Amino acid sequence: MILELETRVTYYFSKQLQMPFDQAIQHVTAALATKGFGVLTTIDVQATMKKKLGVEFRRYTILGACNPEFAHEALKNEDKIGTMLPCNVVVQQISQGTVDVSAVDPVASMMAVENPKLATIAGDVRDALKQVVAGL
């Protein structure tokens, strides 16, 4: 009898933090900076849902993080890769004093791009983002 194990490819990695939401945003932004990432965009999903749909939603912010060195290398090797930049990092309120931080796995998102030169770059970005999330 052969057992087949289900292998699940995840497109993110995450960690829960015990801290207020606004403090978590600052903490994550500072942690990203230690690995050369800046936050290019900040999307307040809660405010957008309220404004556009009139619905209440939990605190949920998408940080568009970019490491210029990695981005430059990726763009040199694939001119349309900007469609997949920046790397999104989500900070969302789970309960009072608990937030979840999730970062995209660039290797998973690059699977759709058939360019072997990006594999190394995506792996390097993955390692850096994993270190950021793990160190929170």
Side-chain angles (χ1 to χ4, degrees):
M1 175 180 203
I2 299 174
L3 286 177
E4 289 186 36
L5 299 177
E6 180 182 333
T7 57
R8 183 172 175 237
V9 176
T10 61
Y11 58 93
Y12 66 92
F13 23 89
S14 62
K15 183 173 186 177
Q16 286 194 355
L17 306 177
Q18 301 301 312
M19 65 178 59
F21 187 85
D22 292 331
Q23 183 182 344
I25 296 286
Q26 294 172 357
H27 185 62
V28 171
T29 301
L32 286 164
T34 68
K35 294 294 179 185
F37 290 89
V39 174
L40 299 177
T41 60
T42 301
I43 302 169
D44 183 338
V45 175
Q46 181 187 46
T48 301
M49 294 290 181
K50 183 68 172 174
K51 180 178 178 182
K52 300 290 185 179
L53 301 175
V55 298
E56 296 298 328
F57 197 76
R58 69 187 172 279
R59 295 192 76 185
Y60 191 110
T61 297
I62 302 170
L63 303 173
C66 181
N67 178 305
E69 291 179 22
F70 290 142
H72 183 241
E73 283 302 310
L75 288 163
K76 286 192 315 188
N77 288 290
E78 181 72 38
D79 71 336
K80 306 293 187 284
I81 204 63
T83 61
M84 302 179 101
L85 300 177
C87 296
N88 285 334
V89 178
V90 172
V91 179
Q92 63 178 308
Q93 184 104 37
I94 301 301
S95 63
Q96 192 64 30
T98 303
V99 296
D100 182 84
V101 178
S102 301
V104 66
D105 180 346
V107 172
S109 61
M110 295 297 162
M111 287 179 167
V113 182
E114 295 179 10
N115 183 334
K117 293 178 182 176
L118 291 178
T120 300
I121 299 164
D124 292 344
V125 176
R126 170 200 260 174
D127 291 345
L129 286 173
K130 271 190 155 180
Q131 289 172 21
V132 167
V133 172
L136 293 173

